[in-house]
Amino acid sequence: MKLITFYFSIFVLLFSACSDSNSSSDAFELKGKLGNAHGDTLFLEQMGTDGLIQVDTAILDENGEFTMNPVITEIGFYRLKTSDRNFATFIFDNNQKVSITGDVADLGNTYNVEGSEDSKLFWEINMTSAESYRKRDSLQKIFQAFVNMTQMDSLRIDSMSNELEKPYTKLVNEHNEYLKNFIEKHTSSFASLAAIQQLQPDEYMDTYFKLDDGLFAKYPNSKYIKAFHEGVSSSRKLAVGTLAPEILMNTPDDKPLALSSLKGKVVLIDFWASWCGPCRAENPNVVKAYNKYKSKGFDIYSVSLDKDMEKWKLAIKTDGLIWKNHVCDFKFWQSPVVALYNFNAIPTSVLIDGEGKILAKNLRGEALEAKLAEVLK
């Protein structure tokens, strides 16, 4: 069973340093004793958005022991490896005296760490998550095996899929609840950064807020936490119940059209583009919802990230996007609306009420229709 490989979307201060055998007694120290050692070389790397930067190395002696004294100036994420396929991830802070044991041939699954409480919590998250994902994978394999082994018609396949979906969904919900409880119990722990990235922001925004408050209060100068704080702060501005930011762009007729001009209606702000395959695939669902609820006060404000006027117009016509509210500034991903609404993929959508307050985000297909049925009774 492999540990979950975790890469961070937050900015990291990167540096390199060599071992210093004359380091002071209050400097960081990493010691260990690993089984099955044969003069292996260990590499310690700091994790960041720009990749992995090596900060120290050590060679295991005949007893499998090693010592490292890298310069660590602030708490952060590190991994100890023999190769890119064999590593363990830790959270180290300056002045810590950390010791590890384990099997050098399988670091990620066998290590034990002392002297770093955050690292122990990080290990708990990984082990619990890995077990949840293993069970989900088993259910998927059972379903696939039945499909492959038997000649099932589509009705029976759908029936079996529905039956297996129940325990699968239960596993997902149980793990999400575990992560939520873990984070809210450890709101000032760096380990919770690993847990929070497994939770969908739209569903667990309150948990994101609690973690941000706890970490920023404890580590206001940490570059890791500053970046996380910036992201959460942007999300706070787009939380359910807040006013959607104004958008003003031109229509295909080159006339300005403001989002606020649709005040009084329930509006789906739909971010899409003619070149976006998933967007085009979702368009029939959007059209269906529009036709079903337009008479009840529902409208759509489509914001395109297109670069070409003619391709944009053709896609509107081809996909039958018959509402009038289509806008674009032809700036592609450089459009200010991307940062304003804090998204990095399309299709993305925001549903707002008649006052412009956000009701929900990223609703698709049946979920969109269900929400519209609820608010447009």
Side-chain angles (χ1 to χ4, degrees):
M1 179 174 63
K2 293 287 185 183
L3 287 180
I4 300 167
T5 303
F6 197 79
Y7 293 99
F8 298 95
S9 58
I10 53 180
F11 177 82
V12 184
L13 175 64
L14 300 174
F15 58 87
S16 61
C18 299
S19 282
D20 179 6
S21 59
N22 297 316
S23 58
S24 61
S25 60
D26 63 348
F28 176 86
E29 181 179 72
L30 174 63
K31 288 185 175 182
K33 184 171 184 179
L34 302 175
N36 291 320
H38 302 283
D40 309 75
T41 299
L42 295 176
F43 304 89
L44 183 65
E45 300 172 324
Q46 188 173 21
M47 302 174 69
T49 56
D50 294 331
L52 297 163
I53 302 300
Q54 183 176 305
V55 297
D56 210 345
T57 63
I59 298 175
L60 298 177
D61 67 17
E62 63 274 11
N63 297 316
E65 297 180 352
F66 73 96
T67 299
M68 290 182 178
N69 298 103
V71 177
I72 292 180
T73 58
E74 68 168 349
I75 189 170
F77 294 89
Y78 293 81
R79 76 174 192 174
L80 187 68
K81 72 173 190 178
T82 60
S83 71
D84 288 339
R85 295 176 61 85
N86 180 34
F87 62 88
T89 304
F90 303 93
I91 301 170
F92 292 151
D93 200 355
N94 61 338
N95 303 330
Q96 286 182 332
K97 307 298 180 185
V98 181
S99 62
I100 66 169
T101 56
D103 188 328
V104 71
D106 189 14
L107 289 171
N109 293 310
T110 64
Y111 78 88
N112 181 64
V113 59
E114 298 295 337
S116 171
E117 184 61 27
D118 278 326
S119 291
K120 294 173 77 71
L121 291 173
F122 184 81
W123 179 88
E124 176 192 326
I125 294 167
N126 272 289
M127 290 294 102
T128 304
S129 298
E131 179 64 13
S132 177
Y133 294 140
R134 184 192 64 76
K135 291 178 180 178
R136 295 182 220 177
D137 186 57
S138 294
L139 286 174
Q140 291 176 325
K141 287 179 178 177
I142 290 172
F143 174 72
Q144 193 60 51
F146 270 95
V147 172
N148 292 340
M149 291 173 58
T150 62
Q151 294 181 343
M152 302 174 68
D153 56 38
S154 59
L155 185 61
R156 292 176 63 199
I157 290 176
D158 289 343
S159 176
M160 183 177 180
S161 177
N162 290 334
E163 285 302 310
L164 287 176
E165 185 177 359
K166 296 175 184 177
Y168 187 92
T169 300
K170 183 182 180 197
L171 287 172
V172 172
N173 292 338
E174 287 176 348
H175 187 55
N176 286 346
E177 188 65 18
Y178 157 77
L179 293 169
K180 177 180 181 292
N181 291 336
F182 179 97
I183 293 164
E184 295 185 2
K185 182 180 179 182
H186 303 285
T187 54
S188 62
S189 171
F190 258 60
S192 291
L193 284 176
I196 198 71
Q197 293 194 25
Q198 297 182 58
L199 294 178
Q200 291 295 326
D202 292 344
E203 297 179 40
Y204 294 93
M205 189 53 67
D206 285 346
T207 303
Y208 272 78
F209 292 161
K210 290 176 183 178
L211 179 58
D212 178 49
D213 291 341
L215 287 173
F216 195 67
K218 186 173 182 180
Y219 302 105
N221 299 316
S222 166
K223 293 184 182 293
Y224 288 90
I225 304 310
K226 283 181 179 179
F228 180 70
H229 177 68
E230 288 175 4
V232 175
S233 295
S234 296
S235 296
R236 284 181 192 267
K237 298 175 183 176
L238 295 168
V240 171
T242 61
L243 285 173
E246 176 69 293
I247 302 174
L248 178 61
M249 291 184 187
N250 286 357
T251 67
D253 296 328
D254 204 30
K255 295 180 180 179
L257 179 66
L259 172 63
S260 57
S261 68
L262 300 179
K263 188 174 182 179
K265 295 183 177 181
V266 171
V267 177
L268 182 72
I269 310 170
D270 186 29
F271 300 98
W272 74 295
S274 67
W275 47 260
C276 169
C279 301
R280 305 293 295 273
E282 180 63 19
N283 276 344
N285 294 326
V286 179
V287 171
K288 180 183 176 184
Y290 176 75
N291 288 329
K292 187 173 182 178
Y293 291 98
K294 63 181 179 180
S295 63
K296 296 184 178 182
F298 174 59
D299 213 335
I300 299 173
Y301 186 83
S302 293
V303 183
S304 174
L305 298 188
D306 268 285
K307 296 185 290 184
D308 185 286
M309 170 75 83
E310 295 309 314
K311 290 181 179 179
W312 175 41
K313 288 182 178 180
L314 180 60
I316 293 172
K317 181 179 179 180
T318 302
D319 291 4
L321 311 184
I322 58 176
W323 49 93
K324 299 179 180 179
N325 316 305
H326 292 277
V327 297
C328 184
D329 61 9
F330 303 103
K331 295 180 180 179
F332 196 47
W333 286 106
Q334 284 67 50
S335 173
V337 77
V338 174
L340 186 64
Y341 276 80
N342 192 33
F343 62 90
N344 56 18
I346 51 176
T348 288
S349 63
V350 177
L351 187 69
I352 62 175
D353 66 13
E355 297 179 354
K357 292 182 179 179
I358 296 174
L359 294 170
K361 292 184 282 187
N362 293 322
L363 297 176
R364 300 184 186 180
E366 294 181 1
L368 173 60
E369 290 198 33
K371 186 64 176 181
L372 291 175
E374 173 189 329
V375 300
L376 294 171
K377 295 178 181 178

